[in-house]
Amino acid sequence: MFSKRPSLKQITLAIAVAITPMTAAPAFANGGADIVDTAVSAGSFSTLAAALGAAGLVETLKGDGPFTVFAPTDDAFAALPDGTVEMLLQPENKDKLTAILTYHVVPGAVMAKDVMGIDAATTVNGADVTVKVDGDAVMINGAKVVAADVAASNGVIHVIDAVLLPDAM
């Protein structure tokens, strides 16, 4: 699962996330909401919510978990080349969309403080993401973690500023 791994007893399927406290806490008042409802209530994840619906993953991420989700904002999806989101939301591209979305999820709820020294983690789709700490910034592949440790009843969300694409794509 990990390069430079801590023992699995110390961190089960830990995912690399920001090492600083969340900076956008007021936008995420979840009151015990699950990952999907927490993201939707924040107001900046409508594209992610639509993609989860098109891929049939809403019920999964509303399930028991726990999950760690790297959630791209609407702006992150808008930065993709023109027509990409629309193409991915087509029913004939469900497998590709599912592969991309599951690349944003790691099993287990891992908070930022738990990932010191980890430089990679395996996502639900089976591919690894890389982690790099650069000063106060934490990068997941090329995406910057802009808010960390957004708690949900079934896991944690770490907000990122870009959509992660598996190497196969």
Side-chain angles (χ1 to χ4, degrees), residues 1 7 38 41 43 55-56 66 80 121 147 150 158 167:
M1 298 249 169
S7 78
T38 299
S41 71
L80 291 171
V150 180
H158 303 289
D167 287 339

Side-chain angles (χ1 to χ4, degrees), residues 28-101:
F28 298 99
N30 75 22
D34 60 53
I35 284 175
V36 174
D37 292 341
T38 299
V40 168
S41 71
S44 57
F45 300 100
S46 60
T47 307
L48 177 60
L52 290 170
L57 295 173
V58 171
E59 289 307 311
T60 300
L61 288 178
K62 287 175 106 17
D64 291 338
F67 306 104
T68 297
V69 176
F70 294 112
T73 62
D74 290 337
D75 289 342
F77 279 101
L80 291 171
D82 287 344
T84 301
V85 172
E86 294 78 9
M87 179 271 301
L88 288 170
L89 293 176
Q90 297 298 314
E92 62 269 18
N93 295 317
K94 182 178 179 179
D95 289 344
K96 185 180 284 190
L97 179 61
T98 300
I100 291 169
L101 293 173

Side-chain angles (χ1 to χ4, degrees), residues 2-6 16 19 113-120 131 133:
F2 298 98
S3 301
K4 298 182 184 174
R5 295 179 201 191
I19 59 172
K113 66 179 175 56
D114 296 326
V115 298
M116 299 300 291
I118 296 172
D119 61 8
V131 178
V133 178

